[in-house]
Amino acid sequence: MTSGTPTAPLLFGYGTNGLADLRLDDALALLADLGYDGVGLTLDHMHLDPLAPDLAERTRRVARRLDALGLQVTVETGARYVLDPRRKHGPSLLDPDAGDRDRRVDLLLRAVRVAAELGAHAVHCFSGALPAGTDEDTGWKRLADALGPVLDAAARAGVPLAVEPEPGHLLATLADFHRLRRTLGDPESLGLTLDIGHCLCLEPLSPADCIRDAAPWTRHVQIEDMRRGVHEHLPFGEGELDVPPVLAALAATGYRGLTVVELPRHSHAGPHQAAVSLPFLRRAAVTAPGRHPLGSTP
């Protein structure tokens, strides 16, 4: 793409894991009122509980609410304690107990069904940390085996599964994502959740270069500030992320999904952070290299 070629606007969202103190209806109304294009909906006990009764009917109600508010959606599965009240993000796809792995697979299958009903861009997931006493080869085999039925369901539903490289997990980097992709035979339903802060934290390339290199597989994007080598999600302006080149790279690759602000530890100030994050992103978009109209119109 040449520097004079106009680009379509990026679509900005905010993650409900950063609005955990709000009812879901209130969180969605807040984001719509602020002018967000969409929402990263984390399935959790307070927000469309995936394990409570009548999931299908509750999902239909959320779909109608999203439609009425004009919000797009990506379904996220990073709730800390939705499956186990004592183990953060447990059980994972890597657990030694096959029954525990099946519980995580069942959650992902539910998420695929919810995403299909909501018309979501993608379903996000991650590998989990390698359990103590488990060697890496065993971990990779468990991950590949567990994701098989989820990828099949995603293919049938027409919703990509977007795996996120997560610091501290077995699948932690973009190189790890490509290892999984090759192991599984590069299925069309397997995509990538690209967390821009994680790129700054861990990757050898700049975040903008990561975006360009990962573009063919990117199905979902999360964004927040961060510092090199420190996995701590920060509000914009509190870390080291140079945001305008990141947004320029996303637009130049033709990415058309949601770019979702990811501040899961800031729910205590969630409405404030949501209110200040969108204007920041819009300002960064119009000052990005090339000065194209990358962000949504205020």
Side-chain angles (χ1 to χ4, degrees):
M1 179 178 292
T2 65
S3 60
T5 303
T7 57
L10 292 175
L11 301 174
F12 294 125
Y14 199 92
T16 60
N17 60 0
L19 297 169
D21 295 321
L22 274 67
R23 298 177 183 88
L24 181 56
D25 273 359
D26 292 338
L28 297 179
L30 171 72
L31 298 181
D33 287 347
L34 291 173
Y36 281 92
D37 301 292
V39 58
L41 174 57
T42 296
L43 304 182
D44 207 346
H45 63 90
M46 80 297 285
H47 292 156
L48 193 53
D49 187 341
L51 303 181
D54 302 320
L55 178 59
E57 176 54 34
R58 289 184 289 112
T59 301
R60 285 190 286 271
R61 289 200 296 269
V62 173
R64 292 192 292 269
R65 181 70 167 152
L66 290 167
D67 184 63
L69 294 171
L71 292 173
Q72 301 186 42
V73 63
T74 300
V75 172
E76 303 194 357
T77 62
R80 293 184 179 95
Y81 296 101
V82 69
L83 291 179
D84 190 324
R86 292 174 175 82
R87 286 192 295 163
K88 180 181 176 182
H89 298 316
S92 80
L93 298 172
L94 310 179
D95 269 32
D97 185 272
D100 279 347
R101 296 197 299 274
D102 287 345
R103 291 172 60 203
R104 177 62 60 171
V105 169
D106 177 69
L107 175 66
L108 296 181
L109 293 173
R110 289 168 181 259
V112 168
R113 293 194 293 271
V114 167
E117 181 69 32
L118 298 181
H121 290 294
V123 172
H124 148 280
C125 72
F126 44 60
S127 69
L130 190 68
T134 301
D135 63 86
E136 284 200 5
D137 287 345
T138 298
W140 282 106
K141 184 178 187 308
R142 287 176 185 165
L143 179 61
D145 290 346
L147 286 179
V150 184
L151 289 165
D152 289 344
R156 291 192 298 269
V159 180
L161 185 71
V163 178
E164 178 187 8
E166 179 77 21
H169 285 204
L170 176 67
L171 197 157
T173 65
L174 290 174
D176 293 331
F177 167 75
H178 289 301
R179 173 176 177 171
L180 175 67
R181 182 176 61 81
R182 290 190 297 268
T183 297
L184 292 170
D186 200 16
E188 187 175 351
S189 55
L190 177 66
L192 171 71
T193 291
L194 188 66
D195 187 303
I196 306 302
H198 294 174
C199 293
L200 177 63
C201 179
L202 284 183
E203 298 290 342
L205 297 177
S206 72
D209 284 337
C210 289
I211 289 166
R212 286 185 279 268
D213 283 2
W217 302 278
T218 300
R219 302 293 178 263
H220 180 43
V221 172
Q222 297 171 345
I223 191 168
E224 67 285 314
D225 215 338
M226 203 167 284
R227 299 186 183 97
R228 181 72 178 165
V230 181
H231 183 209
E232 181 183 4
H233 291 234
L234 299 171
F236 296 115
E238 296 186 13
E240 301 169 357
L241 183 66
D242 188 4
V243 178
V246 163
L247 300 184
L250 278 174
T253 63
Y255 175 67
R256 295 295 177 262
L258 289 172
T259 299
V260 172
V261 179
E262 182 79 357
L263 292 173
R265 296 187 178 182
H266 288 77
S267 282
H268 63 283
H272 169 73
Q273 291 298 338
V276 299
S277 294
L278 184 58
F280 178 94
L281 289 170
R282 285 175 170 166
R283 289 193 299 269
V286 299
T287 60
R291 299 184 65 83
H292 297 318
L294 305 182
S296 302
T297 303

